[in-house]
Amino acid sequence: MTQKILVVEDDPATAAYIAKGMAEAGFTVDQADNGRDGLFLASDGSYGAIILDRMMPAMDGMAVLKALRAADIQTPVIFLSALGTAEDRVEGLTSGSDDYLTKPFAFAELLARVQLLLRRNGSGSTVVTVLRHDDLEMDLLARRVKRGGRGVDLQPREFRLLEYFLRHADQVVTRTMLLEGVWDYHFDPGTNVIDVHVSRLRRKLDDGSDRPLLHTVRGMGYRLGAEA
């Protein structure tokens, strides 16, 4: 059974970025762009987790959370906020939220936190937390990558790039797909940023192995998998 996630976020770009990533991770995603509508959707208690912005029109995140808890709706809530002081985090956590993540954030970290909450809540059994292909393994929660049992040290952007390739293994992935799915660009910046990151990722993956896994498909993009 697919897990439902509610994203309550008033910034359209941030909301679209989160919703797209969560959908690619296998979740069904509902959205609200203000606290009042978010509370209305959340009140049926059907969501596996709620990603809740703190500062929103109509009703702020703190008020939404307090209303949910007062109604005895215990759906796990992750606050997502630009308010990042220790006092802000403590206030958010003591108000009844289950986690607190500050902006700007890496989507991979947000996803890992959602998956962890679902596991703790006993409702995440259908959520994939380890991606595998051939002798390559990625643990999304521990943020570890291994190939053939050997640890592969990746930077955050490289981790996101590999995660995208693993979710599209044996498929041709275009530059446009990578720009939108990994960099959240909806235009081509006209730089070689993708080529540089793919080249670096390829070197790390193939170090110590005589079987390349990441291939360039001339004129089309890239593909993770055995050589055709």
Side-chain angles (χ1 to χ4, degrees):
M1 180 177 177
T2 303
Q3 283 288 329
K4 288 173 60 180
I5 299 293
L6 176 61
V7 178
V8 188
E9 166 65 60
D10 67 319
D11 179 69
T14 301
Y17 170 62
I18 296 172
K20 181 179 180 182
M22 289 293 169
E24 288 179 347
F27 294 101
T28 297
V29 184
D30 289 340
Q31 296 177 245
D33 61 6
N34 65 78
R36 183 181 57 232
D37 290 347
L39 177 60
F40 175 78
L41 290 173
S43 294
D44 69 359
S46 66
Y47 294 97
I50 300 169
I51 300 169
L52 181 63
D53 188 18
R54 275 195 63 170
M55 298 182 292
M56 290 182 296
M59 189 177 192
D60 68 28
M62 292 290 287
V64 171
L65 180 60
K66 289 176 181 177
L68 288 174
R69 297 302 186 241
D72 199 29
I73 295 173
Q74 301 303 319
T75 305
V77 170
I78 297 180
F79 264 134
L80 193 62
S81 178
L83 301 175
T85 67
E87 290 79 9
D88 291 324
R89 293 194 298 272
V90 168
E91 182 184 16
L93 291 168
T94 56
S95 67
S97 74
D98 300 88
D99 203 349
Y100 195 106
L101 185 61
T102 57
K103 300 177 182 179
F105 61 94
F107 177 76
E109 180 179 3
L110 176 62
L111 177 61
R113 290 180 183 232
V114 168
Q115 292 170 328
L116 183 58
L117 284 182
L118 291 172
R119 288 177 62 188
R120 288 176 178 170
N121 203 43
S123 59
S125 57
T126 63
V127 179
V128 175
T129 60
V130 177
L131 303 177
R132 295 184 178 90
H133 188 77
D134 199 273
D135 61 348
L136 184 63
E137 178 180 297
M138 170 180 276
D139 188 321
L140 296 169
L141 295 180
R143 296 186 63 76
R144 285 196 300 261
V145 174
K146 293 181 181 180
R147 183 172 184 197
R150 171 185 61 85
V152 181
D153 185 24
L154 299 181
Q155 296 298 314
R157 184 73 68 178
E158 294 165 350
F159 190 93
R160 285 187 61 192
L161 182 59
L162 180 58
E163 180 184 349
Y164 193 90
F165 278 126
L166 280 166
R167 293 189 184 281
H168 298 81
D170 292 320
Q171 302 174 27
V172 175
V173 175
T174 67
R175 285 177 56 87
T176 299
M177 291 169 67
L178 291 174
L179 285 170
E180 292 186 351
V182 179
W183 276 266
D184 199 35
Y185 290 167
H186 300 282
F187 62 95
D188 191 334
T191 69
N192 65 342
V193 61
I194 290 178
D195 302 320
V196 170
H197 279 80
V198 169
S199 178
R200 187 180 301 140
L201 176 61
R202 180 186 284 128
R203 286 197 302 271
K204 291 184 177 183
L205 291 179
D206 291 345
D207 184 27
S209 175
D210 58 0
R211 290 188 305 110
L213 274 182
L214 189 53
H215 310 280
T216 300
V217 182
R218 192 174 299 278
M220 299 179 68
Y222 305 93
R223 181 176 57 80
L224 180 74
E227 267 189 294

